[in-house]
DNA sequence: GCCGTTTTCGGCCCGACTGTTTTCAGTCG
């Protein structure tokens, strides 16, 4: 056995993407390059235990991974390294990958810059631009040089991806501006924002009108544009002051639905749908759908595109080519439609909220009032437990005082079921943060990891399993501990722990905080298979934070869930019964 | 490199914009 440790699935996906980029710069076949990107994506979306898959020799059972990539993956899992990987890496210096992140620079240009000027890093490229050495290259000029300098500047200022909460705010600004332009018949946000992805690269605003010029003018007049990157008749692109790219696409009203579908993506979903059209000799693009005679088929709404192709309409959130096309064809063949996904109105209350008792910004009464204002009929407070001293965790005495206050508040909110819980730290050995008799007095217990993030995988898994099996545990809070755009979750065997949660009837939290959105939507299918119950909880630290439920619902939709599959859509009586079910067979 | 109801070869989505070009390649989504 090698001393080198096995690579995780995430590391493998990242490496495959990198190798794809290296191949691209070194001039490999674009189809080979795409195969690496496809393979990375296929693996990312595959959920299960990779080590077992490798041991069973079934890696190629993942659609998009063939013999070549499977060989690499097997080496990474079993040996922790790969000769084939080293061969690819030796093709070009690794630092060239950074150059690809500069807007306007693709593999071909990076290759020229490297081969002609031996430039290998962003710093060297910047220097070369300043010395006007780039404009001398074939295919480059004065303008390219300036745009590269701008690109370097932007690269250093902005990381590239954005939280959904920020993206939605920016998108609204631009959408409002174009919607009010006379002659605009329809306007919508498309892209990954419409698909409810957990982070957003850039924003796509789509407008249907016969008069594109005033739309472009309105778009360009929105407050907070840092830079105009492209400005054409039907397509423009700006960089907002927040560092978010915003694309404007203008089409004639008759093409709005096909364009909305096209710009919603995903790319993979679109490719498959286009292939379906091609199979019958038809043509599908952002302007419409044409039959084998070249006659346009009417597509006033997205539904019509799918209908012509013998499919049920697919909710935008599910368009990731993860089986939704097959399901839509099946539904159509049975004259059925997609069951409506969960919506915000279905949520009847939440657990896991904080107050000034620990590190929240609003008092318990203010939080209850805000929950009532949102129309919820139950509310649970779950402040931090005593070990979380950094967050003002509650002592045993404070728990009793809080219970008294909650009793008082109950009198003023007779229409609400108010619950006292706690967010108990899972201690390093997997035990909870209070004696059993104290925990037993609470209505529910959320267990969460807030420390010792870097335990080895087996230890971390055992630690959390311990907590999940504790008789007082009702909810598993932010299961992986990831912080989007900041850090990955701790190393755990999530598949196993979800099965433990299912067995113990512990509710798994879908933490709705836009920086968490934890559990990841990709586990949705597995959650259903295992029969795990999910609860959408905002982890709110202010009254405003309660509204984050919006983002949790968005993720639940992306998981394909309807309201009957989310515990806090139950009415209060059912919900209390469900909380009492934990650990009972 | 992946895939296969045209299955071991020969395909692999396609259109807008930009900049550098005299008609198009590269990038991007």
């Amino acid at each position: 056995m090698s001393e080198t440790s096995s690579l995780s699935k995430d590391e493998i996906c990242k490496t495959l993407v990198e190798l794809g980029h290296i191949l691209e710069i070194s001039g490999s076949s674009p189809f080979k390059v795409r195969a690496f990107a496809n393979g990375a994506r296929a693996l990312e979306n595959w959920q299960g235990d990779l080590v077992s898959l490798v041991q069973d020799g079934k890696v190629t059972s993942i659609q998009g991974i063939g013999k070549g990539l499977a060989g690499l993956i097997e080496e990474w899992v079993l040996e922790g390294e790969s000769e084939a990987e080293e061969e690819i890496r030796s093709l070009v210096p690794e630092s060239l990958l950074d150059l690809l992140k500069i807007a306007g620079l693709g593999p071909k240009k990076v290759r020229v810059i490297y081969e002609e000027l031996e430039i290998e890093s962003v710093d060297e490229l910047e220097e070369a631009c300043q010395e006007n050495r780039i404009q001398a290259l074939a295919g480059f000029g004065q303008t390219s040089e300036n745009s590269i300098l701008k690109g370097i500047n932007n690269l250093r200022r902005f990381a590239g991806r954005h939280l959904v909460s920020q993206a939605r705010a920016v998108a609204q600004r631009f959408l409002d501006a174009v919607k009010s332009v006379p002659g605009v018949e329809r306007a919508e946000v498309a892209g990954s924002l419409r698909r409810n992805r957990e982070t957003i690269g850039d924003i796509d605003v789509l407008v249907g009108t016969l008069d594109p010029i005033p739309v472009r003018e309105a778009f360009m007049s929105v407050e907070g544009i840092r830079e105009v990157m492209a400005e054409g008749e039907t397509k423009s692109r700006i960089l907002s002051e927040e560092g978010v790219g915003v694309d404007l696409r203008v089409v004639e009203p008759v093409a709005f639905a096909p364009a909305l579908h096209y710009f919603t993506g995903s790319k993979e979903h679109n490719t498959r749908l286009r292939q379906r059209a091609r199979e019958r000799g038809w043509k599908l693009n952002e302007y419409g759908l044409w039959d084998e005679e070249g006659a346009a088929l009417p597509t006033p709404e997205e539904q019509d595109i799918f209908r012509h192709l013998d499919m049920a309409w697919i909710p935008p959130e599910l368009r990731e080519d993860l089986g939704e096309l097959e399901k839509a064809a099946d539904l159509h063949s049975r004259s059925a439609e997609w069951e409506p996904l969960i919506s915000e109105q279905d949520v009847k209350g939440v657990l896991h909220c904080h107050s000034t008792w620990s590190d929240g910004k609003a008092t318990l009464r203010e939080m209850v009032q805000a929950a009532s204002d949102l129309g919820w009929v139950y509310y649970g407070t779950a402040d931090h437990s005593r070990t979380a001293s950094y967050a003002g965790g509650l002592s045993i005495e404070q728990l009793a005082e809080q219970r008294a206050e909650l009793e008082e508040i109950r009198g003023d909110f007779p229409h609400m079921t108010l619950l006292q819980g706690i967010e108990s730290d899972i201690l390093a050995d997997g035990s909870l943060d209070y004696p059993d008799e104290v925990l037993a007095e609470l209505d529910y217990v959320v267990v969460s990891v807030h420390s010792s993030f870097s335990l080895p995988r087996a230890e971390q898994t055992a630690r959390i399993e311990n907590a999940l099996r504790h008789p007082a545990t009702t909810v598993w809070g932010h299961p992986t501990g990831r912080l989007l755009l900041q850090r990955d979750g701790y190393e755990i065997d999530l598949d196993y722990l979800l099965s433990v949660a299912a067995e113990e009837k512990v509710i798994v939290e879908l933490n709705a905080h836009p920086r968490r959105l934890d559990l990841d939507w990709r586990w949705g299918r597995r959650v259903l298979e295992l029969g795990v119950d999910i609860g959408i909880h905002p982890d709110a630290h202010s009254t405003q934070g309660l509204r984050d439920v919006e983002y949790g619902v968005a993720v639940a939709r992306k998981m394909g869930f309807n309201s009957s599959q989310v515990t806090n859509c139950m009415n209060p009586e059912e919900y209390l019964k469900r909380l009492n079910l934990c650990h009972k067979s």
Side-chain angles (χ1 to χ4, degrees):
Chain A
M1 274 299 271
S2 160
E3 290 291 312
T4 333
S5 68
S6 168
L7 262 63
S8 73
K9 196 187 89 166
D10 286 352
E11 289 167 326
I12 290 176
C13 291
K14 234 189 216 164
T15 309
L16 283 175
V17 169
E18 271 181 22
L19 295 184
H21 285 150
I22 291 171
L23 288 169
E24 203 172 9
I25 297 173
S26 67
S28 286
S29 143
F31 301 109
K32 183 171 172 178
V33 169
R34 194 185 303 167
F36 272 75
N38 286 343
R41 186 184 149 271
L43 185 59
E44 189 190 353
N45 287 321
W46 178 84
Q47 304 294 359
D49 188 54
L50 189 56
V51 177
S52 319
L53 193 76
V54 167
Q55 282 162 352
D56 296 346
K58 295 213 171 115
V59 183
T60 53
S61 70
I62 302 175
Q63 181 81 4
I65 293 176
K67 269 168 92 178
L69 296 184
L72 279 165
I73 293 169
E74 283 160 9
E75 284 187 288
W76 284 323
V77 168
L78 299 175
E79 325 266 335
E81 57 193 5
S82 148
E83 259 182 54
E85 174 191 356
E86 294 315 316
E87 269 176 42
I88 295 175
R89 286 197 186 278
S90 69
L91 292 172
V92 297
E94 192 127 11
S95 53
L96 286 183
L97 295 177
D98 294 335
L99 302 191
L100 281 181
K101 295 180 194 147
I102 300 168
L105 280 193
K108 303 265 171 39
K109 288 189 172 176
V110 166
R111 184 182 165 89
V112 171
I113 289 169
Y114 167 60
E115 289 192 335
E116 300 293 322
L117 299 176
E118 294 177 1
I119 285 170
E120 296 184 14
S121 71
V122 174
D123 288 342
E124 286 168 20
L125 178 60
E126 184 177 32
E127 202 180 315
C129 285
Q130 281 155 353
E131 292 166 1
N132 300 327
R133 285 188 283 137
I134 297 297
Q135 55 177 285
L137 296 173
F140 292 79
Q142 173 77 55
T143 316
S144 332
E145 216 165 58
N146 291 337
S147 84
I148 290 172
L149 282 171
K150 265 191 209 165
I152 291 175
N153 194 14
N154 287 336
L155 180 67
R156 287 182 181 149
R157 276 178 62 100
F158 306 113
R161 291 200 75 81
H162 312 275
L163 296 181
V164 173
S165 45
Q166 185 185 45
R168 283 200 186 178
V170 174
Q172 199 60 48
R173 233 163 59 211
F174 285 88
L175 187 63
D176 289 345
V178 295
K179 260 192 168 164
S180 57
V181 174
V184 168
E185 294 191 16
R186 301 176 73 175
E188 276 197 56
V189 172
S192 52
L193 205 48
R194 185 165 182 246
R195 295 204 317 280
N196 286 344
R197 291 290 293 222
E198 67 274 38
T199 60
I200 303 299
D202 50 26
I203 294 166
D204 298 281
V205 177
L206 178 69
V207 176
T209 181
L210 291 171
D211 192 8
I213 303 301
V215 174
R216 186 180 71 191
E217 283 167 0
F219 183 82
M220 291 298 172
S221 310
V222 174
E223 288 288 308
I225 292 179
R226 179 181 160 79
E227 194 185 321
V228 176
M229 303 176 82
E231 194 173 4
E233 178 92 355
T234 64
K235 180 177 169 179
S236 301
R237 180 177 173 83
I238 64 97
L239 186 67
S240 86
E241 63 189 8
E242 296 89 347
V244 191
V246 187
D247 284 334
L248 170 70
R249 291 296 297 245
V250 186
V251 296
E252 293 185 0
V254 67
F256 188 82
L260 180 62
H261 175 267
Y262 179 89
F263 291 111
T264 296
S266 66
K267 206 168 53 181
E268 294 80 10
H269 167 97
N270 285 356
T271 303
R272 287 283 311 280
L273 201 66
R274 202 184 294 261
Q275 277 167 359
R276 196 174 166 92
R278 276 169 55 110
E279 279 163 17
R280 33 188 96 185
W282 297 2
K283 183 175 139 174
L284 174 67
N285 62 23
E286 62 260 57
Y287 300 109
L289 179 63
W290 292 268
D291 67 14
E292 64 274 21
E293 314 276 302
L297 298 161
T299 53
E301 300 296 337
E302 276 187 339
Q303 280 81 347
D304 300 303
I305 302 171
F306 289 105
R307 183 173 47 80
H308 288 307
L309 293 167
D310 293 332
M311 301 168 99
W313 176 77
I314 300 173
E317 293 90 340
L318 304 181
R319 300 180 194 165
E320 301 285 351
D321 188 21
L322 295 174
E324 77 279 6
L325 293 139
E326 291 78 4
K327 181 173 173 187
D330 178 56
L331 285 171
H332 183 271
S333 72
R334 296 187 281 115
S335 305
E337 291 191 352
W338 217 285
E339 194 172 343
L341 301 176
I342 181 179
S343 75
E344 267 186 84
Q345 289 71 40
D346 295 325
V347 173
K348 296 203 170 64
V350 294
L351 308 181
H352 196 179
C353 301
H354 298 264
S355 71
T356 48
W357 279 97
S358 62
D359 60 349
K361 291 194 179 68
T363 63
L364 184 49
R365 179 176 287 274
E366 287 164 343
M367 293 297 281
V368 172
Q369 180 66 58
S372 171
D373 291 346
L374 286 168
W376 294 339
V377 290
Y378 43 89
Y379 177 84
T381 188
D383 278 298
H384 286 284
S385 61
R386 56 185 182 175
T387 294
S389 52
Y390 58 90
L394 272 64
S395 66
I396 294 175
E397 294 71 33
Q398 285 174 310
L399 270 180
E401 291 167 29
Q402 189 189 47
R403 186 170 314 130
E405 184 187 337
L406 195 62
E407 186 53 39
E408 214 182 292
I409 296 174
R410 276 196 185 103
D412 299 328
F413 294 86
H415 58 293
M416 290 190 80
T417 302
L418 300 181
L419 303 173
Q420 187 193 26
I422 195 75
E423 183 182 15
S424 171
D425 272 26
I426 299 175
L427 305 182
D429 62 356
S431 59
L432 301 188
D433 207 4
Y434 298 102
D436 290 356
E437 61 271 22
V438 173
L439 293 171
E441 287 180 15
L442 296 160
D443 294 314
Y444 66 95
V445 176
V446 180
V447 299
S448 309
V449 167
H450 289 121
S451 59
S452 307
F453 295 139
S454 52
L455 291 181
R457 179 176 149 113
E459 242 175 273
Q460 192 74 278
T461 302
R463 170 198 193 190
I464 295 175
E465 177 177 4
N466 235 344
L468 294 180
R469 294 205 189 274
H470 191 288
T473 298
T474 36
V475 178
W476 181 14
H478 45 73
T480 74
R482 75 169 178 190
L483 291 179
L484 290 168
L485 310 179
Q486 276 179 22
R487 67 157 194 242
D488 291 334
Y490 16 86
E491 287 286 327
I492 50 173
D493 185 343
L494 185 52
D495 195 72
Y496 174 69
L497 289 172
L498 287 173
S499 71
V500 171
E503 189 183 323
E504 297 288 345
K505 298 200 176 64
V506 166
I507 296 169
V508 173
E509 176 175 271
L510 201 179
N511 190 297
H513 193 284
R515 193 166 287 282
R516 293 191 182 271
L517 301 179
D518 179 11
L519 198 66
D520 188 288
W521 61 269
R522 293 169 186 80
W523 285 90
R525 184 180 301 193
R526 190 72 182 126
V527 158
L528 287 181
E529 285 168 5
L530 290 167
V532 178
D533 282 343
I534 287 284
I536 300 173
H537 300 301
D539 200 352
H541 286 71
S542 66
T543 55
Q544 190 59 37
L546 293 174
R547 294 180 179 275
D548 287 346
V549 161
E550 156 188 3
Y551 307 116
V553 168
V555 171
R557 289 177 63 88
K558 193 153 191 67
M559 288 175 159
F561 286 8
N562 56 55
S563 60
S564 72
Q565 291 160 334
V566 174
T567 48
N568 50 320
C569 295
M570 294 177 179
N571 63 44
E573 299 74 39
E574 286 177 311
Y575 195 48
L576 287 176
K577 272 190 215 159
R578 175 61 188 84
L579 286 178
N580 286 323
L581 264 187
C582 300
H583 310 290
K584 298 192 182 129
S585 51

